Amino acid sequence: MAALENSAGNELVHPGEDRLAQAPVDHPPVPRQKVGVVLANLGTPDATDYWSMRRYLNEFLSDRRVVDYSRWLWQPLLQLVILTKRPFASGRAYRSIWNEALDESPLLTITREQTEKLAARLEAEHGGRVEVDFCMRYGNPSTESVLRRLQARGCERILFFPLYPQYASPTTATANDQAFRTLMRLKWQPALRTVPAYFAHPDYIAALAASVREAYDAATSTPEVLVASYHGVPKRYLEEGDPYHCQCLKTTRLLKEHMGLADEAVVTAFQSKFGPEEWVGPATVDQVAALARQGRKHIAVISPAFAADCVETLEEIQQEIRDAFLAAGGETFTYVPCLNARDDHVRALAAIAENELAGWL
């Protein structure tokens, strides 16, 4: 049978074999060349105890993309004040949503399921030429461990896919930063592409709309208002050129138009404020209370910025924000789950990945 060449022009002994034709017999095996796809999400603690939470929060809150205050001011406050108290509160929040069966956070469970489904779709299309894996920016599996593992499996080209529909410096940018830091430590760097924000991708918008319709159909009455709640950022990020706020507003508009909803039937709000700065608003917790005081008895809340349900949705929205609405006079609160591992969401992710893999497959 005729010999083949890999992309570097090296002739292989035989199709499917792992030893180069010109290499000596004792040459280490060369992995079959593949293309890697890495889904990257924010992160998760390994457990809910104090020290696990402290390690996770320390890594997260020490990231200059997340908190960009002067280290001389921030680190003493973080180490001596915040990390002595916050791990207890965060641990309680995580325990309220923890996947006890697998002893892990729901974010980890869902991201793994998304990865498995995406891998199955790409394998059906491209056979064994694609390796799909996932990593976390903070916690495990780490970005570096996953990129090194894919390279060891023969992935000379890797598509890095941050699971953030809307671009933001504290999410998309820091995920990409970590991938590039790994490349800085490798003797042999794979080629790396990053997936841009997909806040307006038609398949993503269609999946959001389908999830809302399903939640509305399952509700005992039709919600009067749909609140699109996004994770907040300091207002100065917007002023300094971060496009996140604008992209969130466009996602809401496209969702509203796709569903044919009236302007007053959809509002945009932002959650999870942290620190003393002014953040983009309105705050979700205040917005839902205001809607109740205006006489709205039934609202629904969706979180388009989250690709998977996590502590910000399962604990903050379904507990804190729900309670704020009911305490202000609201009666029925419908939570629209994140897209998670829905088939239409995985189809959207696959379509985005296929587009960015052009020329590699």
Side-chain angles (χ1 to χ4, degrees), residues 31-39 115-116 118-124 126-134 146-161 353 357 360-361:
R32 293 177 175 86
Q33 187 195 36
K34 298 179 181 179
V35 173
V37 177
V38 180
L39 299 181
T115 302
E116 292 170 351
L118 179 61
R121 288 190 68 88
L122 293 180
E123 183 176 0
H126 303 288
R129 299 171 60 197
V130 182
E131 286 270 345
V132 184
D133 211 332
F134 73 94
V146 172
L147 290 180
R148 285 182 179 274
R149 181 163 66 240
L150 286 178
Q151 187 182 43
R153 292 176 180 171
C155 296
E156 296 178 14
R157 297 179 173 90
I158 296 176
L159 180 68
F160 192 74
F161 195 154
L357 287 168
W360 279 5
L361 291 175

mmCIF file of all heavy atoms in Angstrom, residues 31-39 115-116 118-124 126-134 146-161 353 357 360-361:
data_model
loop_
_atom_site.group_PDB
_atom_site.id
_atom_site.type_symbol
_atom_site.label_atom_id
_atom_site.label_comp_id
_atom_site.label_asym_id
_atom_site.label_seq_id
_atom_site.Cartn_x
_atom_site.Cartn_y
_atom_site.Cartn_z
ATOM 1 N N PRO A 31 2.207 10.159 17.290
ATOM 2 C CA PRO A 31 0.743 10.055 17.309
ATOM 3 C C PRO A 31 0.141 10.412 15.960
ATOM 4 O O PRO A 31 0.676 11.241 15.226
ATOM 5 C CB PRO A 31 0.327 11.077 18.377
ATOM 6 C CG PRO A 31 1.546 11.299 19.202
ATOM 7 C CD PRO A 31 2.703 11.130 18.270
ATOM 8 N N ARG A 32 -0.945 9.747 15.622
ATOM 9 C CA ARG A 32 -1.662 10.089 14.401
ATOM 10 C C ARG A 32 -2.118 11.536 14.491
ATOM 11 O O ARG A 32 -2.609 11.982 15.521
ATOM 12 C CB ARG A 32 -2.887 9.185 14.228
ATOM 13 C CG ARG A 32 -2.568 7.726 13.976
ATOM 14 C CD ARG A 32 -3.858 6.912 13.885
ATOM 15 N NE ARG A 32 -3.604 5.528 13.533
ATOM 16 C CZ ARG A 32 -3.309 4.583 14.414
ATOM 17 N NH1 ARG A 32 -3.213 4.892 15.691
ATOM 18 N NH2 ARG A 32 -3.107 3.352 14.022
ATOM 19 N N GLN A 33 -1.987 12.265 13.391
ATOM 20 C CA GLN A 33 -2.356 13.669 13.409
ATOM 21 C C GLN A 33 -3.872 13.838 13.483
ATOM 22 O O GLN A 33 -4.626 13.199 12.737
ATOM 23 C CB GLN A 33 -1.830 14.384 12.167
ATOM 24 C CG GLN A 33 -2.050 15.880 12.225
ATOM 25 C CD GLN A 33 -1.870 16.524 10.888
ATOM 26 O OE1 GLN A 33 -2.220 15.933 9.858
ATOM 27 N NE2 GLN A 33 -1.334 17.721 10.876
ATOM 28 N N LYS A 34 -4.310 14.703 14.394
ATOM 29 C CA LYS A 34 -5.726 14.984 14.560
ATOM 30 C C LYS A 34 -5.911 16.481 14.775
ATOM 31 O O LYS A 34 -4.946 17.222 14.977
ATOM 32 C CB LYS A 34 -6.290 14.221 15.770
ATOM 33 C CG LYS A 34 -6.225 12.703 15.662
ATOM 34 C CD LYS A 34 -6.783 12.052 16.913
ATOM 35 C CE LYS A 34 -6.696 10.539 16.830
ATOM 36 N NZ LYS A 34 -7.224 9.885 18.062
ATOM 37 N N VAL A 35 -7.154 16.885 14.764
ATOM 38 C CA VAL A 35 -7.523 18.253 15.111
ATOM 39 C C VAL A 35 -8.240 18.205 16.455
ATOM 40 O O VAL A 35 -9.130 17.367 16.663
ATOM 41 C CB VAL A 35 -8.435 18.875 14.039
ATOM 42 C CG1 VAL A 35 -8.952 20.235 14.498
ATOM 43 C CG2 VAL A 35 -7.689 19.010 12.723
ATOM 44 N N GLY A 36 -7.854 19.075 17.367
ATOM 45 C CA GLY A 36 -8.483 19.114 18.685
ATOM 46 C C GLY A 36 -9.496 20.241 18.796
ATOM 47 O O GLY A 36 -9.326 21.301 18.188
ATOM 48 N N VAL A 37 -10.547 20.016 19.556
ATOM 49 C CA VAL A 37 -11.534 21.049 19.892
ATOM 50 C C VAL A 37 -11.673 21.053 21.410
ATOM 51 O O VAL A 37 -11.930 20.007 22.007
ATOM 52 C CB VAL A 37 -12.907 20.775 19.241
ATOM 53 C CG1 VAL A 37 -13.923 21.834 19.675
ATOM 54 C CG2 VAL A 37 -12.789 20.740 17.725
ATOM 55 N N VAL A 38 -11.465 22.216 22.014
ATOM 56 C CA VAL A 38 -11.545 22.329 23.470
ATOM 57 C C VAL A 38 -12.664 23.291 23.847
ATOM 58 O O VAL A 38 -12.622 24.478 23.503
ATOM 59 C CB VAL A 38 -10.223 22.835 24.070
ATOM 60 C CG1 VAL A 38 -10.337 22.947 25.589
ATOM 61 C CG2 VAL A 38 -9.071 21.919 23.695
ATOM 62 N N LEU A 39 -13.666 22.792 24.553
ATOM 63 C CA LEU A 39 -14.692 23.651 25.134
ATOM 64 C C LEU A 39 -14.158 24.182 26.464
ATOM 65 O O LEU A 39 -13.725 23.406 27.316
ATOM 66 C CB LEU A 39 -15.989 22.875 25.360
ATOM 67 C CG LEU A 39 -16.662 22.275 24.127
ATOM 68 C CD1 LEU A 39 -17.961 21.566 24.519
ATOM 69 C CD2 LEU A 39 -16.933 23.339 23.082
ATOM 70 N N THR A 115 -19.603 18.171 25.963
ATOM 71 C CA THR A 115 -18.415 17.691 25.260
ATOM 72 C C THR A 115 -18.663 16.343 24.611
ATOM 73 O O THR A 115 -18.296 16.109 23.448
ATOM 74 C CB THR A 115 -17.236 17.598 26.235
ATOM 75 O OG1 THR A 115 -17.011 18.883 26.826
ATOM 76 C CG2 THR A 115 -15.973 17.131 25.542
ATOM 77 N N GLU A 116 -19.296 15.443 25.347
ATOM 78 C CA GLU A 116 -19.565 14.112 24.811
ATOM 79 C C GLU A 116 -20.501 14.183 23.606
ATOM 80 O O GLU A 116 -20.300 13.491 22.599
ATOM 81 C CB GLU A 116 -20.157 13.225 25.915
ATOM 82 C CG GLU A 116 -19.157 12.893 27.014
ATOM 83 C CD GLU A 116 -19.803 12.230 28.223
ATOM 84 O OE1 GLU A 116 -21.071 12.191 28.269
ATOM 85 O OE2 GLU A 116 -19.075 11.769 29.112
ATOM 86 N N LEU A 118 -21.007 16.828 21.609
ATOM 87 C CA LEU A 118 -20.324 17.481 20.490
ATOM 88 C C LEU A 118 -19.337 16.517 19.845
ATOM 89 O O LEU A 118 -19.224 16.461 18.608
ATOM 90 C CB LEU A 118 -19.596 18.734 20.980
ATOM 91 C CG LEU A 118 -18.816 19.502 19.910
ATOM 92 C CD1 LEU A 118 -19.743 19.990 18.804
ATOM 93 C CD2 LEU A 118 -18.065 20.675 20.535
ATOM 94 N N ALA A 119 -18.635 15.743 20.656
ATOM 95 C CA ALA A 119 -17.686 14.763 20.122
ATOM 96 C C ALA A 119 -18.402 13.751 19.240
ATOM 97 O O ALA A 119 -17.908 13.375 18.163
ATOM 98 C CB ALA A 119 -16.963 14.058 21.268
ATOM 99 N N ALA A 120 -19.578 13.309 19.665
ATOM 100 C CA ALA A 120 -20.334 12.334 18.877
ATOM 101 C C ALA A 120 -20.750 12.927 17.532
ATOM 102 O O ALA A 120 -20.678 12.259 16.492
ATOM 103 C CB ALA A 120 -21.558 11.875 19.659
ATOM 104 N N ARG A 121 -21.167 14.199 17.526
ATOM 105 C CA ARG A 121 -21.579 14.838 16.265
ATOM 106 C C ARG A 121 -20.389 14.997 15.317
ATOM 107 O O ARG A 121 -20.491 14.717 14.115
ATOM 108 C CB ARG A 121 -22.208 16.210 16.548
ATOM 109 C CG ARG A 121 -23.584 16.158 17.193
ATOM 110 C CD ARG A 121 -24.214 17.540 17.214
ATOM 111 N NE ARG A 121 -24.531 17.973 15.866
ATOM 112 C CZ ARG A 121 -25.671 17.719 15.230
ATOM 113 N NH1 ARG A 121 -26.606 17.000 15.835
ATOM 114 N NH2 ARG A 121 -25.889 18.172 14.023
ATOM 115 N N LEU A 122 -19.265 15.453 15.857
ATOM 116 C CA LEU A 122 -18.106 15.664 14.994
ATOM 117 C C LEU A 122 -17.512 14.340 14.527
ATOM 118 O O LEU A 122 -16.992 14.248 13.408
ATOM 119 C CB LEU A 122 -17.059 16.506 15.731
ATOM 120 C CG LEU A 122 -17.476 17.952 16.028
ATOM 121 C CD1 LEU A 122 -16.364 18.690 16.746
ATOM 122 C CD2 LEU A 122 -17.879 18.691 14.756
ATOM 123 N N GLU A 123 -17.582 13.321 15.369
ATOM 124 C CA GLU A 123 -17.082 12.014 14.958
ATOM 125 C C GLU A 123 -17.940 11.438 13.832
ATOM 126 O O GLU A 123 -17.434 10.818 12.894
ATOM 127 C CB GLU A 123 -17.044 11.052 16.136
ATOM 128 C CG GLU A 123 -16.468 9.687 15.765
ATOM 129 C CD GLU A 123 -16.344 8.747 16.945
ATOM 130 O OE1 GLU A 123 -16.706 9.155 18.060
ATOM 131 O OE2 GLU A 123 -15.892 7.614 16.744
ATOM 132 N N ALA A 124 -19.259 11.639 13.933
ATOM 133 C CA ALA A 124 -20.143 11.151 12.880
ATOM 134 C C ALA A 124 -19.830 11.815 11.540
ATOM 135 O O ALA A 124 -19.990 11.210 10.474
ATOM 136 C CB ALA A 124 -21.599 11.410 13.269
ATOM 137 N N HIS A 126 -16.703 13.426 10.833
ATOM 138 C CA HIS A 126 -15.294 13.405 10.445
ATOM 139 C C HIS A 126 -14.537 12.168 10.920
ATOM 140 O O HIS A 126 -13.310 12.122 10.813
ATOM 141 C CB HIS A 126 -14.590 14.649 10.992
ATOM 142 C CG HIS A 126 -15.211 15.939 10.541
ATOM 143 N ND1 HIS A 126 -15.099 16.409 9.253
ATOM 144 C CD2 HIS A 126 -15.966 16.849 11.213
ATOM 145 C CE1 HIS A 126 -15.756 17.556 9.144
ATOM 146 N NE2 HIS A 126 -16.289 17.842 10.307
ATOM 147 N N GLY A 127 -15.239 11.204 11.448
ATOM 148 C CA GLY A 127 -14.579 9.997 11.924
ATOM 149 C C GLY A 127 -13.674 10.298 13.108
ATOM 150 O O GLY A 127 -13.999 11.118 13.963
ATOM 151 N N GLY A 128 -12.522 9.650 13.156
ATOM 152 C CA GLY A 128 -11.622 9.828 14.290
ATOM 153 C C GLY A 128 -10.621 10.940 14.106
ATOM 154 O O GLY A 128 -9.610 10.992 14.837
ATOM 155 N N ARG A 129 -10.879 11.858 13.200
ATOM 156 C CA ARG A 129 -9.917 12.937 12.925
ATOM 157 C C ARG A 129 -10.000 14.068 13.939
ATOM 158 O O ARG A 129 -9.138 14.953 13.951
ATOM 159 C CB ARG A 129 -10.153 13.493 11.521
ATOM 160 C CG ARG A 129 -9.967 12.472 10.397
ATOM 161 C CD ARG A 129 -10.423 13.049 9.081
ATOM 162 N NE ARG A 129 -9.656 14.248 8.721
ATOM 163 C CZ ARG A 129 -10.061 15.120 7.797
ATOM 164 N NH1 ARG A 129 -11.212 14.932 7.163
ATOM 165 N NH2 ARG A 129 -9.320 16.165 7.510
ATOM 166 N N VAL A 130 -11.047 14.075 14.771
ATOM 167 C CA VAL A 130 -11.255 15.173 15.723
ATOM 168 C C VAL A 130 -11.274 14.628 17.143
ATOM 169 O O VAL A 130 -11.970 13.652 17.433
ATOM 170 C CB VAL A 130 -12.568 15.922 15.432
ATOM 171 C CG1 VAL A 130 -12.739 17.090 16.400
ATOM 172 C CG2 VAL A 130 -12.598 16.419 13.995
ATOM 173 N N GLU A 131 -10.521 15.265 18.020
ATOM 174 C CA GLU A 131 -10.547 14.971 19.456
ATOM 175 C C GLU A 131 -11.240 16.140 20.152
ATOM 176 O O GLU A 131 -10.842 17.296 19.974
ATOM 177 C CB GLU A 131 -9.131 14.831 20.012
ATOM 178 C CG GLU A 131 -8.433 13.548 19.634
ATOM 179 C CD GLU A 131 -8.670 12.437 20.645
ATOM 180 O OE1 GLU A 131 -9.138 12.732 21.762
ATOM 181 O OE2 GLU A 131 -8.378 11.273 20.305
ATOM 182 N N VAL A 132 -12.272 15.868 20.936
ATOM 183 C CA VAL A 132 -12.996 16.917 21.650
ATOM 184 C C VAL A 132 -12.796 16.728 23.144
ATOM 185 O O VAL A 132 -12.935 15.619 23.658
ATOM 186 C CB VAL A 132 -14.502 16.894 21.307
ATOM 187 C CG1 VAL A 132 -15.224 18.065 21.997
ATOM 188 C CG2 VAL A 132 -14.714 16.960 19.800
ATOM 189 N N ASP A 133 -12.464 17.811 23.817
ATOM 190 C CA ASP A 133 -12.256 17.757 25.258
ATOM 191 C C ASP A 133 -12.766 19.062 25.857
ATOM 192 O O ASP A 133 -13.215 19.955 25.136
ATOM 193 C CB ASP A 133 -10.777 17.543 25.572
ATOM 194 C CG ASP A 133 -10.558 16.764 26.873
ATOM 195 O OD1 ASP A 133 -11.416 16.847 27.772
ATOM 196 O OD2 ASP A 133 -9.528 16.083 26.975
ATOM 197 N N PHE A 134 -12.686 19.192 27.177
ATOM 198 C CA PHE A 134 -13.103 20.433 27.819
ATOM 199 C C PHE A 134 -12.150 20.785 28.940
ATOM 200 O O PHE A 134 -11.469 19.924 29.504
ATOM 201 C CB PHE A 134 -14.538 20.327 28.355
ATOM 202 C CG PHE A 134 -14.690 19.472 29.585
ATOM 203 C CD1 PHE A 134 -14.668 20.034 30.859
ATOM 204 C CD2 PHE A 134 -14.864 18.094 29.470
ATOM 205 C CE1 PHE A 134 -14.810 19.241 31.994
ATOM 206 C CE2 PHE A 134 -15.009 17.294 30.599
ATOM 207 C CZ PHE A 134 -14.981 17.872 31.859
ATOM 208 N N VAL A 146 -5.316 19.933 29.696
ATOM 209 C CA VAL A 146 -6.103 19.471 28.549
ATOM 210 C C VAL A 146 -5.371 19.735 27.239
ATOM 211 O O VAL A 146 -5.327 18.871 26.349
ATOM 212 C CB VAL A 146 -7.493 20.136 28.553
ATOM 213 C CG1 VAL A 146 -8.256 19.830 27.263
ATOM 214 C CG2 VAL A 146 -8.303 19.654 29.757
ATOM 215 N N LEU A 147 -4.774 20.910 27.096
ATOM 216 C CA LEU A 147 -4.033 21.192 25.864
ATOM 217 C C LEU A 147 -2.846 20.253 25.710
ATOM 218 O O LEU A 147 -2.557 19.769 24.607
ATOM 219 C CB LEU A 147 -3.569 22.644 25.860
ATOM 220 C CG LEU A 147 -4.667 23.704 25.703
ATOM 221 C CD1 LEU A 147 -4.058 25.102 25.721
ATOM 222 C CD2 LEU A 147 -5.468 23.490 24.431
ATOM 223 N N ARG A 148 -2.155 19.960 26.807
ATOM 224 C CA ARG A 148 -1.031 19.029 26.733
ATOM 225 C C ARG A 148 -1.517 17.620 26.379
ATOM 226 O O ARG A 148 -0.873 16.902 25.619
ATOM 227 C CB ARG A 148 -0.277 19.011 28.061
ATOM 228 C CG ARG A 148 0.587 20.249 28.295
ATOM 229 C CD ARG A 148 1.345 20.144 29.614
ATOM 230 N NE ARG A 148 2.198 21.295 29.852
ATOM 231 C CZ ARG A 148 3.445 21.424 29.399
ATOM 232 N NH1 ARG A 148 3.986 20.452 28.669
ATOM 233 N NH2 ARG A 148 4.159 22.509 29.666
ATOM 234 N N ARG A 149 -2.670 17.241 26.937
ATOM 235 C CA ARG A 149 -3.209 15.909 26.642
ATOM 236 C C ARG A 149 -3.586 15.785 25.164
ATOM 237 O O ARG A 149 -3.298 14.766 24.526
ATOM 238 C CB ARG A 149 -4.424 15.637 27.536
ATOM 239 C CG ARG A 149 -5.048 14.260 27.308
ATOM 240 C CD ARG A 149 -5.941 13.860 28.451
ATOM 241 N NE ARG A 149 -7.116 14.700 28.592
ATOM 242 C CZ ARG A 149 -7.383 15.416 29.693
ATOM 243 N NH1 ARG A 149 -6.543 15.415 30.711
ATOM 244 N NH2 ARG A 149 -8.480 16.139 29.761
ATOM 245 N N LEU A 150 -4.205 16.809 24.614
ATOM 246 C CA LEU A 150 -4.578 16.761 23.203
ATOM 247 C C LEU A 150 -3.345 16.733 22.305
ATOM 248 O O LEU A 150 -3.314 16.015 21.299
ATOM 249 C CB LEU A 150 -5.462 17.964 22.856
ATOM 250 C CG LEU A 150 -6.894 17.912 23.373
ATOM 251 C CD1 LEU A 150 -7.631 19.191 22.992
ATOM 252 C CD2 LEU A 150 -7.638 16.701 22.855
ATOM 253 N N GLN A 151 -2.336 17.490 22.669
ATOM 254 C CA GLN A 151 -1.117 17.462 21.863
ATOM 255 C C GLN A 151 -0.481 16.077 21.903
ATOM 256 O O GLN A 151 -0.010 15.573 20.879
ATOM 257 C CB GLN A 151 -0.123 18.507 22.350
ATOM 258 C CG GLN A 151 1.086 18.617 21.429
ATOM 259 C CD GLN A 151 2.105 19.614 21.926
ATOM 260 O OE1 GLN A 151 2.416 19.661 23.103
ATOM 261 N NE2 GLN A 151 2.632 20.427 21.012
ATOM 262 N N ALA A 152 -0.488 15.441 23.081
ATOM 263 C CA ALA A 152 0.080 14.098 23.197
ATOM 264 C C ALA A 152 -0.693 13.089 22.355
ATOM 265 O O ALA A 152 -0.155 12.056 21.946
ATOM 266 C CB ALA A 152 0.098 13.664 24.657
ATOM 267 N N ARG A 153 -1.965 13.389 22.063
ATOM 268 C CA ARG A 153 -2.789 12.501 21.246
ATOM 269 C C ARG A 153 -2.659 12.806 19.762
ATOM 270 O O ARG A 153 -3.379 12.226 18.942
ATOM 271 C CB ARG A 153 -4.253 12.612 21.674
ATOM 272 C CG ARG A 153 -4.535 12.057 23.070
ATOM 273 C CD ARG A 153 -5.987 12.295 23.444
ATOM 274 N NE ARG A 153 -6.309 11.773 24.764
ATOM 275 C CZ ARG A 153 -7.450 11.997 25.407
ATOM 276 N NH1 ARG A 153 -8.393 12.742 24.834
ATOM 277 N NH2 ARG A 153 -7.664 11.493 26.602
ATOM 278 N N GLY A 154 -1.777 13.720 19.398
ATOM 279 C CA GLY A 154 -1.540 13.997 17.995
ATOM 280 C C GLY A 154 -2.241 15.209 17.443
ATOM 281 O O GLY A 154 -2.276 15.399 16.217
ATOM 282 N N CYS A 155 -2.777 16.058 18.302
ATOM 283 C CA CYS A 155 -3.478 17.253 17.834
ATOM 284 C C CYS A 155 -2.471 18.373 17.581
ATOM 285 O O CYS A 155 -2.055 19.065 18.520
ATOM 286 C CB CYS A 155 -4.538 17.698 18.839
ATOM 287 S SG CYS A 155 -5.874 16.503 19.065
ATOM 288 N N GLU A 156 -2.097 18.553 16.321
ATOM 289 C CA GLU A 156 -1.184 19.628 15.960
ATOM 290 C C GLU A 156 -1.933 20.924 15.686
ATOM 291 O O GLU A 156 -1.329 21.988 15.581
ATOM 292 C CB GLU A 156 -0.367 19.236 14.732
ATOM 293 C CG GLU A 156 0.543 18.040 14.967
ATOM 294 C CD GLU A 156 1.309 17.651 13.721
ATOM 295 O OE1 GLU A 156 1.344 18.458 12.769
ATOM 296 O OE2 GLU A 156 1.870 16.544 13.693
ATOM 297 N N ARG A 157 -3.244 20.827 15.563
ATOM 298 C CA ARG A 157 -4.110 21.990 15.395
ATOM 299 C C ARG A 157 -5.225 21.889 16.438
ATOM 300 O O ARG A 157 -5.869 20.845 16.557
ATOM 301 C CB ARG A 157 -4.715 22.030 13.988
ATOM 302 C CG ARG A 157 -3.703 22.180 12.867
ATOM 303 C CD ARG A 157 -4.430 22.188 11.531
ATOM 304 N NE ARG A 157 -3.547 22.493 10.420
ATOM 305 C CZ ARG A 157 -2.887 21.587 9.723
ATOM 306 N NH1 ARG A 157 -3.002 20.298 10.031
ATOM 307 N NH2 ARG A 157 -2.109 21.949 8.731
ATOM 308 N N ILE A 158 -5.456 22.980 17.164
ATOM 309 C CA ILE A 158 -6.456 22.961 18.229
ATOM 310 C C ILE A 158 -7.357 24.183 18.115
ATOM 311 O O ILE A 158 -6.876 25.318 18.009
ATOM 312 C CB ILE A 158 -5.791 22.927 19.625
ATOM 313 C CG1 ILE A 158 -5.000 21.627 19.799
ATOM 314 C CG2 ILE A 158 -6.845 23.059 20.723
ATOM 315 C CD1 ILE A 158 -4.231 21.539 21.110
ATOM 316 N N LEU A 159 -8.660 23.941 18.129
ATOM 317 C CA LEU A 159 -9.661 25.014 18.171
ATOM 318 C C LEU A 159 -10.082 25.206 19.618
ATOM 319 O O LEU A 159 -10.628 24.294 20.235
ATOM 320 C CB LEU A 159 -10.874 24.658 17.312
ATOM 321 C CG LEU A 159 -11.995 25.709 17.289
ATOM 322 C CD1 LEU A 159 -11.532 26.965 16.562
ATOM 323 C CD2 LEU A 159 -13.257 25.136 16.634
ATOM 324 N N PHE A 160 -9.827 26.392 20.150
ATOM 325 C CA PHE A 160 -10.146 26.703 21.546
ATOM 326 C C PHE A 160 -11.467 27.462 21.562
ATOM 327 O O PHE A 160 -11.585 28.532 20.974
ATOM 328 C CB PHE A 160 -9.020 27.531 22.168
ATOM 329 C CG PHE A 160 -9.109 27.660 23.655
ATOM 330 C CD1 PHE A 160 -8.787 26.588 24.480
ATOM 331 C CD2 PHE A 160 -9.508 28.855 24.235
ATOM 332 C CE1 PHE A 160 -8.862 26.701 25.862
ATOM 333 C CE2 PHE A 160 -9.587 28.981 25.614
ATOM 334 C CZ PHE A 160 -9.263 27.903 26.432
ATOM 335 N N PHE A 161 -12.468 26.907 22.264
ATOM 336 C CA PHE A 161 -13.855 27.380 22.165
ATOM 337 C C PHE A 161 -14.359 27.832 23.539
ATOM 338 O O PHE A 161 -14.914 27.053 24.295
ATOM 339 C CB PHE A 161 -14.719 26.221 21.653
ATOM 340 C CG PHE A 161 -16.081 26.614 21.148
ATOM 341 C CD1 PHE A 161 -16.724 25.821 20.198
ATOM 342 C CD2 PHE A 161 -16.751 27.733 21.615
ATOM 343 C CE1 PHE A 161 -17.990 26.148 19.718
ATOM 344 C CE2 PHE A 161 -18.007 28.074 21.157
ATOM 345 C CZ PHE A 161 -18.626 27.282 20.208
ATOM 346 N N ALA A 353 -18.293 25.529 15.556
ATOM 347 C CA ALA A 353 -16.990 24.870 15.490
ATOM 348 C C ALA A 353 -16.626 24.524 14.048
ATOM 349 O O ALA A 353 -15.485 24.741 13.614
ATOM 350 C CB ALA A 353 -16.993 23.616 16.356
ATOM 351 N N LEU A 357 -13.325 25.692 11.965
ATOM 352 C CA LEU A 357 -12.379 24.642 11.572
ATOM 353 C C LEU A 357 -12.122 24.622 10.074
ATOM 354 O O LEU A 357 -11.393 23.758 9.584
ATOM 355 C CB LEU A 357 -12.907 23.267 12.005
ATOM 356 C CG LEU A 357 -12.859 22.959 13.506
ATOM 357 C CD1 LEU A 357 -13.667 21.717 13.832
ATOM 358 C CD2 LEU A 357 -11.409 22.789 13.973
ATOM 359 N N TRP A 360 -9.054 23.161 8.083
ATOM 360 C CA TRP A 360 -8.362 22.176 8.922
ATOM 361 C C TRP A 360 -8.949 20.783 8.740
ATOM 362 O O TRP A 360 -8.300 19.795 9.033
ATOM 363 C CB TRP A 360 -8.440 22.580 10.391
ATOM 364 C CG TRP A 360 -7.430 23.623 10.772
ATOM 365 C CD1 TRP A 360 -6.575 24.276 9.955
ATOM 366 C CD2 TRP A 360 -7.182 24.095 12.097
ATOM 367 N NE1 TRP A 360 -5.801 25.155 10.680
ATOM 368 C CE2 TRP A 360 -6.149 25.056 12.003
ATOM 369 C CE3 TRP A 360 -7.710 23.810 13.347
ATOM 370 C CZ2 TRP A 360 -5.634 25.735 13.113
ATOM 371 C CZ3 TRP A 360 -7.215 24.492 14.457
ATOM 372 C CH2 TRP A 360 -6.194 25.441 14.341
ATOM 373 N N LEU A 361 -10.182 20.693 8.304
ATOM 374 C CA LEU A 361 -10.840 19.406 8.109
ATOM 375 C C LEU A 361 -11.295 19.303 6.659
ATOM 376 O O LEU A 361 -11.873 20.263 6.143
ATOM 377 C CB LEU A 361 -12.042 19.271 9.041
ATOM 378 C CG LEU A 361 -11.714 19.140 10.544
ATOM 379 C CD1 LEU A 361 -13.001 19.147 11.371
ATOM 380 C CD2 LEU A 361 -10.958 17.852 10.811
#
